[in-house]
Amino acid sequence: MMTNLFSTFDPSTSTNLSLNWLSITLSMMFLPMMYWLIPSRMNLLWIKILSYLNKEFKILLNINKMKGSTLIFISLFSFILFNNFLSLFPYIFSSTSHMVLTLSLALPMWLSFMIYGWMNNTMKMFAHLIPIGTPPVLMPFMVCIETISNIIRPGTLAIRLSANMIAGHLLITLLSNVETKASLLMLNILIITQLILLTLESAVAIIQSYVFSILSTLYSSEVN
């Protein structure tokens, strides 16, 4: 029995083994389609999306010599997108709604950017702490503000993704709890509302994976 509204996101199963996190590996089911002799329309659409992202990430990173530098961000986009979509299916654990996964993606990436930037471009990293045109009186305050905003970046990345995924799921859960006591007219309205919310959640799944990967690319371009 559900003790509270957020217990639907608990990573627990009927057995003693917590097998919910295995849903992350379900994205591997989509990979064999890439190796078919004749690609499908879905495969061609996915290749177009990845090529568009590759061009956009190259512009943001401003790296022409290092080929393959955008692969980590494309892989990040694909991983988050697959997990966001899988969480919309019934009885599949929504892994991206947990800070354990989102913070595990954001924190190591941000930490590696910071270590690389401070070791190789120390003077440029100091220059980033004071924006151009800052009055000398405000410089100490700007250094504190920029330092704090830099430290909270992985937290904001993780919270943004998990909060947006939780919000839509909670709305759908709240509406489904009302359906048992609703009249026939109200039931039809609730079903239509849930379908609209499900369409909106599909858009949120794409947007949040794009936002996460594009912000990671921008953080990487700052240290280079």
Side-chain angles (χ1 to χ4, degrees):
M1 185 177 177
M2 189 171 66
T3 55
N4 57 52
L5 199 57
F6 290 92
S7 63
T8 55
F9 300 98
D10 291 343
S12 59
T13 52
S14 57
T15 60
N16 293 325
L17 295 173
S18 182
L19 302 176
N20 301 87
W21 294 103
L22 288 176
S23 63
I24 299 173
T25 59
L26 289 177
S27 58
M28 299 294 179
M29 295 174 60
F30 300 98
L31 291 178
M33 292 191 296
M34 302 292 180
Y35 302 102
W36 289 2
L37 186 63
I38 301 174
S40 61
R41 292 181 181 178
M42 188 65 71
N43 192 5
L44 293 174
L45 176 64
W46 183 244
I47 290 170
K48 279 190 175 182
I49 292 170
L50 293 187
S51 61
Y52 173 78
L53 287 173
N54 186 32
K55 291 177 183 177
E56 189 166 351
F57 290 159
K58 273 186 177 180
I59 295 169
L60 292 173
L61 290 171
N62 199 15
I63 298 173
N64 297 320
K65 294 181 181 179
M66 294 174 64
K67 293 183 178 179
S69 57
T70 60
L71 287 177
I72 182 172
F73 303 108
I74 292 173
S75 303
L76 188 66
F77 171 81
S78 307
F79 177 76
I80 296 173
L81 183 65
F82 281 139
N83 282 284
N84 286 350
F85 268 118
L86 283 171
S87 64
L88 296 176
F89 288 93
Y91 303 107
I92 294 182
F93 176 65
S94 55
S95 55
T96 48
S97 62
H98 284 262
M99 290 287 290
V100 175
L101 179 66
T102 55
L103 202 59
S104 298
L105 293 174
L107 189 59
M109 191 170 295
W110 171 84
L111 193 60
S112 60
F113 293 157
M114 288 297 103
I115 292 172
Y116 175 82
W118 284 106
M119 290 181 66
N120 295 284
N121 302 317
T122 310
M123 297 307 296
K124 289 183 180 179
M125 294 296 288
F126 276 119
H128 276 301
L129 297 177
I130 302 174
I132 299 172
T134 305
V137 182
L138 297 177
M139 281 183 181
F141 300 102
M142 290 305 298
V143 170
C144 295
I145 292 169
E146 288 294 324
T147 304
I148 294 169
S149 66
N150 201 355
I151 291 171
I152 64 173
R153 278 178 177 179
T156 54
L157 273 178
I159 292 169
R160 184 187 292 110
L161 177 58
S162 59
N164 278 283
M165 295 308 296
I166 285 174
H169 286 70
L170 283 180
L171 283 174
I172 295 172
T173 307
L174 283 170
L175 287 175
S176 61
N177 290 336
V178 182
E179 287 179 357
T180 54
K181 302 176 182 178
S183 60
L184 185 61
L185 178 62
M186 195 66 184
L187 188 64
N188 291 327
I189 295 171
L190 286 173
I191 291 172
I192 293 169
T193 309
Q194 280 191 326
L195 288 174
I196 294 170
L197 277 175
L198 195 61
T199 308
L200 183 63
E201 274 295 288
S202 303
V204 168
I206 301 170
I207 292 167
Q208 288 306 313
S209 55
Y210 176 74
V211 167
F212 195 100
S213 57
I214 207 77
L215 286 176
S216 302
T217 311
L218 288 171
Y219 297 158
S220 174
S221 64
E222 285 185 5
V223 301
N224 289 319

